[in-house]
């Protein structure tokens, strides 16, 4: 019971902070749960379930608001739906320390984009065929690392020259595809505590709603993103210490 309270409380507060910055908390929740004693693969599955609980709602809302460009979103979503489970299944055959190392690199990347990244394109890609390639690459990595992929997808699409507003709406739509595909793949070969999943899901949804509510007050997005970056840097350096200690 004490573990459920601890994991639920951490999920709740991380969900508040990250939802205020417009992101999912799974990327931070996974290493934290692992540091607290959960197997890394199990932590990935739990983090994915928490992400699924909070991202599906935003996806449905964007469809209802008719702000989603399906011709832009579907190539990415379809590829992530296929390749995220492949990445998740592939993790069975990759040494866990190797996966942790790439997860650490992803944390450094995500934190740096939040702290220093500027929304300026390096390329201006006109062909939407590249969206299929992006979906394949990001989907596979997201499944392998056990994350939704939004932290990788958003800066990548912006760097390729796509409109940041369209990217933000698209990512909120496509992430549930990779999250659900990855989660059910992990669930097929990992023993899960379904009480823990329920606790984490409820806390993630509650924290996400509260974070979205607080976001509308006098809170600077840039300050929230810097706080998120600090958290991710801390987790990344803690993982780095694991490799060099």
């Amino acid at each position: 019971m004490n573990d459920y309270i601890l994991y639920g409380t951490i999920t709740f507060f991380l969900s508040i902070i990250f939802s205020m910055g417009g992101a999912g908390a799974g990327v931070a929740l996974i290493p934290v749960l692992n540091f607290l004693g959960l197997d890394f693969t199990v932590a990935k599955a739990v983090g994915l379930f928490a992400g699924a609980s909070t991202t599906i709602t935003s996806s449905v809302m964007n469809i209802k608001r008719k702000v989603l460009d399906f011709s832009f979103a579907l190539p990415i979503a379809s590829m992530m739906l296929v390749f995220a489970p492949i990445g998740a299944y592939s993790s069975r055959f990759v040494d866990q320390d190797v996966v942790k190392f790439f997860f650490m690199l992803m944390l450094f990347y995500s934190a740096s984009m939040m702290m220093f990244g500027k929304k300026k394109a390096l390329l201006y890609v006109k062909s939407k065929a590249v969206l299929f390639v992006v979906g394949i690459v990001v989907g596979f990595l997201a499944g392998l690392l056990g994350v939704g992929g939004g932290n990788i997808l958003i800066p990548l699409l912006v760097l390729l020259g796509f409109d940041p507003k369209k990217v933000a709406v698209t990512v909120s739509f496509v992430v549930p595809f990779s999250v659900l595909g990855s989660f059910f793949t992990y669930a097929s070969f990992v023993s899960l505590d379904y009480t823990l999943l329920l606790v984490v899901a409820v806390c993630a949804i509650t924290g996400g709603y509260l974070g979205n509510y607080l976001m509308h007050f006098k809170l600077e997005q840039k300050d929230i993103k810097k706080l998120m970056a600090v958290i991710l840097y801390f987790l990344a350096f803690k993982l780095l210490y694991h490799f060099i200690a």
Side-chain angles (χ1 to χ4, degrees):
M1 178 60 74
N2 288 337
D3 285 345
Y4 294 145
I5 294 173
L6 176 61
Y7 297 153
T9 302
I10 291 171
T11 302
F12 177 71
F13 283 107
L14 285 177
S15 296
I16 291 175
I17 294 170
F18 278 76
S19 63
M20 285 193 295
V27 67
L29 184 60
I30 291 168
V32 170
L33 292 178
N34 181 234
F35 296 147
L36 291 174
L38 277 188
D39 174 78
F40 190 66
T41 304
V42 174
K44 287 193 288 182
V46 174
L48 283 165
F49 193 77
S53 304
T54 55
T55 56
I56 293 174
T57 302
S58 61
S59 180
V60 173
M61 288 298 293
N62 282 326
I63 294 174
K64 286 185 175 180
R65 288 165 53 206
K66 297 181 180 180
V67 294
L68 182 67
D69 182 348
F70 281 98
S71 66
F72 183 76
L74 287 180
I76 303 173
S78 59
M79 292 300 98
M80 291 185 75
L81 181 61
V82 172
F83 283 89
I86 294 174
Y89 189 77
S90 298
S91 69
R92 297 184 65 180
F93 309 105
V94 181
D95 185 270
Q96 196 169 89
D97 279 341
V98 174
V99 178
K100 281 187 178 182
F101 180 78
F102 281 106
F103 195 96
M104 178 193 71
L105 294 180
M106 189 268 297
L107 287 176
F108 277 120
Y109 167 80
S110 299
S112 298
M113 293 306 298
M114 289 177 184
M115 184 71 78
F116 308 111
K118 298 186 182 298
K119 293 184 177 180
K120 292 183 179 179
L122 293 180
L123 301 170
Y124 287 93
V125 179
K126 294 182 179 180
S127 173
K128 287 189 177 180
V130 75
L131 299 177
F132 288 97
V133 178
V134 168
I136 291 170
V137 174
V138 176
F140 182 84
L141 288 175
L144 180 69
L145 300 178
V147 296
N151 289 323
I152 305 172
L153 197 55
I154 290 176
L156 178 59
L157 288 173
V158 171
L159 290 174
L160 289 174
F162 295 104
D163 177 56
K165 290 183 179 179
K166 179 185 286 189
V167 167
V169 172
T170 298
V171 169
S172 71
F173 172 75
V174 304
V175 163
F177 288 86
S178 66
V179 168
L180 289 173
S182 297
F183 170 74
F184 285 117
T185 303
Y186 279 111
S188 70
F189 63 85
V190 173
S191 179
L192 296 174
D193 181 340
Y194 289 94
T195 302
L196 175 59
L197 290 179
L198 178 62
V199 169
V200 166
V202 170
C203 292
I205 292 170
T206 307
Y209 271 113
L210 183 56
N212 281 322
Y213 176 76
L214 293 173
M215 186 169 57
H216 297 294
F217 287 88
K218 295 180 179 179
L219 296 170
E220 291 287 339
Q221 275 280 303
K222 62 180 181 180
D223 294 331
I224 298 297
K225 286 193 177 292
K226 285 181 179 179
L227 174 60
M228 292 162 59
V230 169
I231 293 171
L232 296 184
Y233 273 130
F234 171 77
L235 296 173
F237 278 112
K238 190 166 178 60
L239 276 174
L240 179 61
Y241 178 77
H242 163 78
F243 288 108
I244 64 178

